[in-house]
Amino acid sequence: MSFNHIVFQNILRDKSTYISYFLSSVFSILVFFLFSTTAFHPMMAEVDTTSTLGLTMMLASLFIYIFSFVFIIYSLFAFLKKKTKTLGVFMMTGASMRQIRKMVFRENMLIAGAAIITAIATGLVIAPLFLMVAKRILRAESFGMYVPLQSILLTIVLFTILFFIVSKSMTRLIKKEEIVHLLKADIIQEKLIVPAPLKLVLSIIVSGFLMISIIKQVNWIKSFETVWYIALFTSLLLAIYFTVTQGTLWAIHVLQKRPSYLRKTNMLFISNLKAKGRSHAHIIYLLTVLLLGVFVCTSVLYSSYYNVKDRTESLYPYSFQYISLPNNAPEAEQKDITFIEKILEKEGKYDAYYSAFKTDEDRRIGFMSVSNYNALGLHNAITLSNNEYYVAAGNEGIIPNKEVIHDYPFGELEYAGLEEQNILLTGLRNVYFIVPDEVYETINYPVYKVFAYELANWTDKVDVAETILAKVSSDPDIRLTASKISLYNAEKFVKSIMFFIGFMLSLIFLSAAMSILYFYLQTSLEGEKKKYAGIRKIGLSVKELSSVVTRELATLIFIPFTVAAIILFVTMFSMRNNISLTFYQMTGLGVVVFLVLFIISFFIIRRIYLNKLVN
């Protein structure tokens, strides 16, 4: 019998152990392959790789690959733990450490090859459906199927390197003494959780200090902003870890002191929880962190996708804006306006607004008469006394300086109010001062004429915007043109890709959480079967066994979900002044959807796990 034959037969004899490792590897590779298929799509060639969007796509690909690397290492750890007895038997029958390492390495590379081929084959089968979904999300008509040669080659090369490095590194960690130790693992008691209240309090204080400093934008944060964010991320991970471990220890202590401890199967459940408290706490921690990743992707990226229209309107209030500069010839101006209105008439009814303002170009300050302000139409009309002035924002989200008007010789004007929303395209002027018509006539600055148009159902008028802007584009010395339709279309494309990235990251986080839970249950299954078989001999019924297992699984599944949701909502509450209503709505909807998925998963896992324990 050849060595390769032994390797192959070893895999066939323990298919259940290998299949879980194989499937987790397939899924990691499949996610990366599908994402790279989208990233290398010919249509994506128009995305500048140096832009924020291009860098985000690259970072997302890198993140998925790194996450796959970490996840496969974890899967291999769980796989080796499940194979400890087999390795011990090989060692006891005379196999050397070199042969054992060689066998594990070949097994892993064999599984890796099969996983890469299976993932790519599966990816090619479902790629048309996946690209169809991506086409709908990205709102791209030309986003069809193609032969993803780059994705195939990249996936094969990167994951071959990954599995080679992981397999070589992990086999080097196998020691003879550890194999003997692991061979006896079923009779070695798990270490208990060490009380660490000081570490818990310190990690929470540090995390709170860093978070408050960043939210309040304290001066010293600006100098080392990246370092502070890394420190906050690290401190939050530590705070969550100590909260989970110390919370588990505290919960066990409280449950043991309660009068109900001796009732029904409570003692068995709590004793089992205490015996496996350390491993349970580690699983709860890992699942909590992964679920936080899912919730953050859902909240941040999904909500930004659904907030594009409001954001666009806050930047560019009108469907089209044509600003005629002082150097623009009247004939050319009239020709442009005639063309624009002719195109708009073909689309049906539209609203036109004609206005003007004078500007101090050096300070980028605009002055507008109250009549011209009211003529714009997309805000409430105002009235001013002869000695009053009104202020309108020039940049979205920035409250302008209301007192700078007193630097001009307009007499003693009194402040009458503020319009926080920019009245024209954002950034055109820093601020607009609305003054009485009589005062406006005395101002000796160049006049900028404003022609603004608003269309019904403007989000569907992309072709109209492209037609107009193709002929009437901005010229810095003659005219300025802008369309919220074009901005919306561009932003929607960017946010759609961000939405797609968020979906992929949510998918990999969620699947990793379920896989980690599955591995944990698989590696402890044999020991649990023996334990419960012994307890059943002394009178434990199947119903009582089901009660204990159900509570234990509920602890492992719903406590991480609850902790992650609490952390998310506490963080949101602390940042409530900077969060929109859409963010809350999408977060709440996402949590509810994932809760339903977890409830369904719980009943499926419970049924399968109970069947394996009893049979």
Side-chain angles (χ1 to χ4, degrees):
M1 181 182 292
S2 67
F3 191 81
N4 288 335
H5 185 68
I6 294 175
V7 171
F8 189 71
Q9 288 299 318
N10 191 35
I11 293 175
L12 292 179
R13 278 193 299 268
D14 196 6
K15 293 185 289 291
S16 62
T17 300
Y18 287 90
I19 197 68
S20 57
Y21 177 49
F22 170 76
L23 290 177
S24 64
S25 300
V26 167
F27 181 81
S28 297
I29 300 167
L30 179 62
V31 170
F32 179 85
F33 176 72
L34 291 175
F35 187 85
S36 62
T37 299
T38 306
F40 287 113
H41 196 282
M43 181 194 160
M44 299 298 288
E46 64 186 63
V47 177
D48 184 5
T49 55
T50 61
S51 65
T52 302
L53 180 57
L55 291 174
T56 301
M57 290 290 289
M58 293 174 61
L59 288 174
S61 302
L62 179 62
F63 181 82
I64 292 175
Y65 182 72
I66 293 174
F67 188 88
S68 300
F69 187 88
V70 175
F71 181 57
I72 288 173
I73 289 177
Y74 179 86
S75 302
L76 184 54
F77 262 121
F79 166 75
L80 288 176
K81 186 176 180 182
K82 189 83 187 306
K83 291 290 294 178
T84 52
K85 285 193 174 182
T86 303
L87 297 178
V89 169
F90 273 103
M91 189 192 72
M92 292 174 65
T93 54
S96 65
M97 286 305 303
R98 183 174 178 273
Q99 290 173 322
I100 289 177
R101 288 172 181 155
K102 185 178 180 181
M103 181 181 68
V104 172
F105 175 77
R106 290 193 181 184
E107 286 178 352
N108 275 280
M109 292 308 296
L110 184 61
I111 293 172
I116 291 172
I117 294 171
T118 303
I120 292 176
T122 306
L124 290 173
V125 171
I126 67 175
L129 178 61
F130 183 79
L131 289 174
M132 189 182 300
V133 174
K135 174 182 176 180
R136 188 172 184 83
I137 293 175
L138 301 177
R139 301 167 69 248
E141 294 300 324
S142 60
F143 215 77
M145 183 56 189
Y146 74 109
V147 181
L149 292 178
Q150 283 181 291
S151 300
I152 294 173
L153 291 174
L154 183 67
T155 303
I156 292 174
V157 171
L158 288 183
F159 279 92
T160 300
I161 294 173
L162 187 153
F163 276 103
F164 182 84
I165 293 173
V166 170
S167 301
K168 270 293 184 184
S169 302
M170 295 297 290
T171 53
R172 292 295 177 188
L173 296 177
I174 299 175
K175 306 292 182 182
K176 182 176 180 179
E177 296 79 8
E178 291 177 354
I179 291 182
V180 175
H181 176 79
L182 293 173
L183 186 62
K184 300 176 182 178
D186 56 344
I187 60 172
I188 295 176
Q189 186 177 3
E190 183 177 304
K191 293 181 180 179
L192 298 177
I193 300 173
V194 178
L198 184 60
K199 293 180 180 179
L200 172 61
V201 173
L202 184 62
S203 63
I204 292 175
I205 291 175
V206 172
S207 299
F209 170 74
L210 292 173
M211 185 173 293
I212 292 172
S213 299
I214 291 173
I215 292 173
K216 297 295 184 180
Q217 296 182 344
V218 182
N219 292 333
W220 61 76
I221 295 291
K222 298 178 182 178
S223 302
F224 304 96
E225 190 170 2
T226 304
V227 175
W228 281 94
Y229 278 109
I230 294 174
L232 175 62
F233 179 73
T234 305
S235 66
L236 284 174
L237 289 179
L238 290 173
I240 295 171
Y241 175 78
F242 288 119
T243 300
V244 170
T245 54
Q246 299 305 301
T248 302
L249 184 62
W250 175 81
I252 293 171
H253 177 75
V254 170
L255 290 172
Q256 285 180 319
K257 297 295 182 181
R258 294 179 64 182
S260 59
Y261 177 66
L262 299 175
R263 296 174 190 168
K264 298 182 180 180
T265 58
N266 289 342
M267 181 169 30
L268 178 59
F269 167 68
I270 297 168
S271 299
N272 193 42
L273 188 63
K274 182 178 181 181
K276 301 198 301 184
R278 188 183 181 90
S279 58
H280 275 17
H282 288 168
I283 292 299
I284 290 172
Y285 168 70
L286 289 173
L287 296 184
T288 299
V289 172
L290 291 171
L291 286 174
L292 269 175
V294 173
F295 291 157
V296 168
C297 289
T298 303
S299 302
V300 177
L301 298 178
Y302 290 17
S303 62
S304 65
Y305 177 80
Y306 286 102
N307 205 31
V308 176
K309 184 178 179 181
D310 293 339
R311 176 66 177 169
T312 301
E313 289 184 316
S314 68
L315 294 171
Y316 289 8
Y318 297 94
S319 300
F320 294 97
Q321 293 179 61
Y322 180 97
I323 311 295
S324 181
L325 304 183
N327 293 333
N328 194 6
E331 298 80 12
E333 174 190 295
Q334 186 58 44
K335 183 180 178 181
D336 291 338
I337 297 304
T338 301
F339 172 76
I340 292 173
E341 294 183 352
K342 182 179 179 181
I343 298 297
L344 295 180
E345 284 174 1
K346 295 179 181 179
E347 295 299 316
K349 185 178 178 181
Y350 66 91
D351 295 320
Y353 307 99
Y354 307 111
S355 184
F357 64 91
K358 297 178 181 179
T359 182
D360 179 354
E361 189 62 47
D362 293 335
R363 302 179 68 177
R364 299 187 63 78
I365 294 176
F367 301 97
M368 188 177 290
S369 69
V370 66
S371 298
N372 286 338
Y373 177 79
N374 291 337
L376 286 174
L378 288 189
H379 46 254
N380 296 327
I382 62 171
T383 57
L384 292 177
S385 300
N386 292 333
N387 63 338
E388 291 181 330
Y389 71 94
Y390 193 78
V391 183
N395 293 281
E396 192 277 328
I398 300 177
I399 302 298
N401 186 333
K402 301 184 288 289
E403 304 298 329
V404 71
I405 191 174
H406 297 303
D407 295 342
Y408 297 88
F410 302 150
E412 294 297 327
L413 298 178
E414 296 181 0
Y415 172 71
L418 171 67
E419 170 60 60
E420 295 184 6
Q421 177 60 49
N422 50 292
I423 57 176
L424 297 174
L425 64 147
T426 185
L428 180 61
R429 301 293 97 173
N430 293 329
V431 60
Y432 298 91
F433 289 105
I434 318 304
V435 297
D437 292 2
E438 295 80 4
V439 176
Y440 179 77
E441 295 299 329
T442 65
I443 298 175
N444 188 23
Y445 281 119
V447 177
Y448 284 36
K449 297 180 183 179
V450 178
F451 301 86
Y453 303 93
E454 184 63 17
L455 288 168
N457 302 318
W458 59 270
T459 56
D460 301 324
K461 310 295 184 180
V462 177
D463 293 339
V464 180
E466 291 177 350
T467 300
I468 294 176
L469 294 177
K471 185 171 182 180
V472 186
S473 59
S474 291
D475 186 328
D477 297 322
I478 298 174
R479 61 178 178 256
L480 301 174
T481 58
S483 169
K484 69 179 178 183
I485 301 173
S486 299
L487 178 64
Y488 173 81
N489 190 50
E491 284 294 306
K492 197 71 173 177
F493 178 71
V494 173
K495 299 301 183 184
S496 296
I497 294 181
M498 298 295 287
F499 176 88
F500 178 72
I501 293 172
F503 170 76
M504 296 299 294
L505 294 179
S506 296
L507 182 64
I508 195 170
F509 280 137
L510 189 61
S511 61
M514 292 295 99
S515 298
I516 285 173
L517 180 60
Y518 172 78
F519 274 122
Y520 179 66
L521 295 176
Q522 275 290 103
T523 53
S524 61
L525 181 61
E526 290 300 321
E528 292 296 289
K529 286 180 70 173
K530 291 180 180 179
K531 180 180 71 178
Y532 284 116
I535 298 176
R536 286 183 64 191
K537 290 179 181 179
I538 60 174
L540 183 73
S541 65
V542 174
K543 183 178 179 181
E544 290 172 324
L545 169 63
S546 175
S547 173
V548 174
V549 172
T550 299
R551 292 163 71 183
E552 187 171 355
L553 288 176
T555 299
L556 293 174
I557 293 176
F558 292 112
I559 285 183
F561 187 95
T562 304
V563 173
I566 290 173
I567 293 172
L568 178 68
F569 286 116
V570 168
T571 304
M572 288 174 56
F573 180 77
S574 65
M575 301 176 65
R576 59 190 179 279
N577 295 330
N578 303 314
I579 294 177
S580 65
L581 179 61
T582 304
F583 191 91
Y584 282 107
Q585 291 173 340
M586 291 306 302
T587 301
L589 179 61
V591 171
V592 170
V593 170
F594 286 119
L595 178 60
V596 172
L597 291 175
F598 264 61
I599 291 173
I600 296 172
S601 301
F602 167 73
F603 284 108
I604 295 173
I605 293 171
R606 174 184 173 275
R607 182 175 181 179
I608 295 173
Y609 191 65
L610 275 173
N611 287 337
K612 289 186 177 181
L613 278 179
V614 175
N615 299 328

